[in-house]
Amino acid sequence: MRLVLASNNAKKLAELKALFAPLPLEIVAQGSLGVAEAEEPHHTFIENALAKARHAARATGGAAIADDSGLCVDALGGQPGVASAHFADVVLPVGEREVQRRVQDEANNALLLQRLQGRPDRRAKFVSTLVAIRSADDPEPLVAVGRWQGEILAAPRGAGGFGYDPLMFIPALGKSVADLDAATKNAHSHRALAAAQMLALMHESWHLG
């Protein structure tokens, strides 16, 4: 069964291919099929993930899966939430995408620390919402949510990862996400938790595996 990933992110594609390896699925990125990115106008992860999945399914005429994820901080009422990737309003330099992402990440982290200054509650979670549908009009989307609990540090720690990883401390592991090796991160992450749920849902509802 072919499953179109509603993303053009090569790292996300590779990660999901590995996570869904137990099932008889061929996961392909929508970009390889000439499908453009969908709009993400909603205020919740589930609405944006469903919109992206329906967009990909409608454009390709088959099954699709989408992920919408971000950081939710308790003291900020769940912000930055769906706006995690563009939390800070910053002018990006012209050039390579990786350079732009690094500038945006640094600005996002600086703004997060600013907003949390003087606040004793540092609890936060990384959230991943996966939505899979058999067709654009599927009345029964499969929905899986993974939540990775942690705390926001007072300063960045660790040289790995990206985004908010240097600020997200995982008490259960005693390290920031940026201090974790790739295998450990992929085994415990919010996306891994969501993928495990989705595997079970696909097995039960779609009779895969």
Side-chain angles (χ1 to χ4, degrees):
M1 177 180 182
R2 188 180 75 171
L3 191 64
V4 177
L5 173 62
S7 171
N8 294 324
N9 187 315
K11 291 183 178 179
K12 186 177 292 187
L13 175 65
E15 185 176 350
L16 287 177
K17 278 186 173 181
L19 291 169
F20 285 95
L23 296 182
L25 291 171
E26 177 196 4
I27 302 178
V28 297
Q30 63 181 10
S32 67
L33 302 174
V35 180
E37 297 277 358
E39 295 293 326
E40 301 177 47
H42 304 292
H43 298 291
T44 65
F45 297 120
I46 188 170
E47 288 175 297
N48 281 332
L50 181 57
K52 290 189 284 188
R54 290 206 188 284
H55 171 79
R58 187 169 292 111
T60 59
I65 188 168
D67 163 75
D68 203 50
S69 55
L71 176 71
C72 294
V73 180
D74 287 10
L76 301 181
Q79 290 186 333
V82 297
S84 293
H86 305 285
F87 188 37
D89 185 11
V90 61
V91 177
L92 297 176
V94 177
E96 296 182 8
R97 188 170 181 177
E98 284 301 310
V99 175
Q100 293 177 336
R101 191 185 74 175
R102 186 163 61 249
V103 170
Q104 182 73 63
D105 285 351
E106 290 173 356
N108 290 343
N109 286 334
L111 179 59
L112 178 60
L113 291 177
Q114 178 186 328
R115 294 278 178 88
L116 286 176
Q117 191 169 6
R119 295 177 183 261
D121 185 359
R122 314 288 288 195
R123 291 174 298 174
K125 63 181 76 73
F126 277 135
V127 179
S128 171
T129 299
L130 286 172
V131 172
I133 53 179
R134 291 164 291 187
S135 66
D137 299 320
D138 190 343
E140 188 190 3
L142 303 183
V143 180
V145 181
R147 295 179 175 88
W148 201 13
Q149 304 286 345
E151 302 169 358
I152 302 300
L153 295 164
R157 186 184 304 173
F162 59 90
Y164 300 96
D165 288 358
L167 291 180
M168 186 64 157
F169 180 77
I170 307 298
L173 299 176
K175 295 181 178 181
S176 76
V177 176
D179 265 332
L180 300 176
D181 60 79
T184 301
K185 179 180 177 181
N186 290 341
H188 294 86
S189 75
H190 49 309
R191 190 166 293 117
L193 293 171
Q197 290 180 29
M198 184 59 75
L199 281 171
L201 289 170
M202 287 180 168
H203 176 75
E204 177 186 345
S205 298
W206 291 7
H207 309 295
L208 295 177

